[in-house]
Amino acid sequence: MANGRGPREARRASDRGRYGRLSRERVLATALELVDREGLSALSMRRLGTELGVEAMALYRYAASKDSLLDGLVEALYLELEERLAVEGDEDPDWRAGLHRTARATYAVCLTHPHAVPLLATRLLAVPLARRPAAVLRDHERVLTLLRGAGFDESTVADVFRAFTAWLLGYVSVELRPTVDNPDETDPAFRLGLHRLSAKELPTLRETAAALAEQGGPEGLAAGLDALLDSFTRGSASAASG
C-alpha cells in the first residue's frame, strides 16, 4: 500500500472530510460527479480523497478496492433509475408499458452520466449475478416480474429478459459513440472527418455517416423495443395455436 500502510491503517484514517463525516452515499455521489466531469480515467482513490477533503485511505471503509468503487458507481446509476421510476408514480399494470417505462428511465440515466455507462458492461461482465449491487438485482427482479406477468413460460421469460437487456444497453452504447471528428468545423463533411474515410473502400459508410451522427433518441429506442417484443409475442401466439 502507498506510504507502507495496509488495510488496518486505512481503517484508522480519519473520514471527516471537507463537509463533515463521510457516508457511502456521499462517497459514491462525489465519485460519480468526478466521472461526469472528467471521465473514468480521472477516478482514483487519491483523487476522490482530494475531492472529499480526506486521505485516500479513509475511503477504504466505504469501498474496499478500486473495483468495489466502480461497482458502487454502477449501484449509483441504478439507484438513480429507481428514483426516476418512483417520481413517475405507480407502475403500469401492462407489461409492455412497464418495459418501455424502464427503458426510457434507463436511457435518461445513461445520457445524464455518459462517462459512467461503460461500467454497465465492464463491471457486470466481471461480477457474478448474486454479487451484483442490490439496486441492480432489484432492476432484474422488476423486469422479470413484468415478463412473468405477461404469461411467458420460464424459458421465454429468460429469453426476453436477455433480449431486452441487450437491446437497451446496446442502443445506449451506440447513441453515445462519438461521431464528430472536429467540433469546431462548420462544414458537415469536415466536422465528421469524412476526408479520413476512403471513398473507394468505404463508400456506404461515407454516405451514411451524417445519418449515423444523429441520435435515434427515445423514439428510436421505443420503436426497436416494440419490434423486439413483437417477435416474441408472435412466436408465443404461433406456439399456442399450433
Side-chain angles (χ1 to χ4, degrees):
M1 303 293 288
N3 301 321
R5 294 188 295 185
R8 186 184 302 275
E9 288 76 10
R11 287 194 294 271
R12 289 203 297 263
S14 172
D15 68 349
R16 184 168 294 282
R18 187 175 296 116
Y19 306 107
R21 189 168 295 280
L22 299 185
S23 65
R24 178 173 169 79
E25 292 74 17
R26 180 178 294 170
V27 169
L28 294 182
T30 303
L32 187 56
E33 289 171 2
L34 175 58
V35 170
D36 286 343
R37 289 198 318 267
E38 301 181 32
L40 281 168
S41 62
L43 182 63
S44 67
M45 290 298 201
R46 184 182 299 276
R47 178 65 190 281
L48 183 56
T50 299
E51 292 282 318
L52 289 162
V54 299
E55 294 184 36
M57 290 299 172
L59 300 177
Y60 284 91
R61 71 189 68 182
Y62 305 102
S65 65
K66 177 68 177 292
D67 282 346
S68 178
L69 180 60
L70 295 178
D71 290 340
L73 290 182
V74 173
E75 178 185 3
L77 294 179
Y78 276 89
L79 287 172
E80 184 169 325
L81 169 62
E82 289 183 342
E83 291 172 2
R84 286 179 180 269
L85 292 173
V87 167
E88 293 183 12
D90 295 336
E91 291 191 12
D92 193 303
D94 178 75
W95 68 276
R96 288 183 69 133
L99 290 179
H100 275 280
R101 183 170 175 264
T102 297
R104 286 194 308 271
T106 304
Y107 178 83
V109 170
C110 289
L111 263 64
T112 302
H113 306 287
H115 293 307
V117 168
L119 295 175
L120 299 182
T122 57
R123 290 312 305 161
L124 294 187
L125 282 174
V127 180
L129 175 66
R131 295 182 181 273
R132 294 173 189 171
V136 176
L137 297 178
R138 288 194 296 270
D139 178 72
H140 295 346
E141 178 73 12
R142 184 186 313 111
V143 173
L144 290 168
T145 299
L146 286 168
L147 297 174
R148 181 64 61 83
F152 293 122
D153 59 38
E154 184 173 321
S155 177
T156 305
V157 165
D159 288 342
V160 181
F161 175 82
R162 284 190 287 266
F164 171 77
T165 303
W167 167 250
L168 177 54
L169 297 183
Y171 184 87
V172 170
S173 296
V174 170
E175 287 278 88
L176 293 177
R177 286 180 182 176
T179 55
V180 174
D181 181 61
N182 188 345
D184 295 327
E185 282 284 355
T186 56
D187 183 284
F190 284 101
R191 182 177 175 82
L192 295 175
L194 298 188
H195 58 289
R196 303 182 187 279
L197 304 178
S198 169
K200 181 178 180 180
E201 297 179 0
L202 305 168
T204 306
L205 179 57
R206 281 174 58 102
E207 292 172 3
T208 314
L212 291 176
E214 299 293 330
Q215 289 189 334
E219 298 80 12
L221 175 67
L225 180 55
D226 275 330
L228 178 71
L229 298 179
D230 285 345
S231 69
F232 282 101
T233 53
R234 282 197 301 268
S236 296
S238 298
S241 62

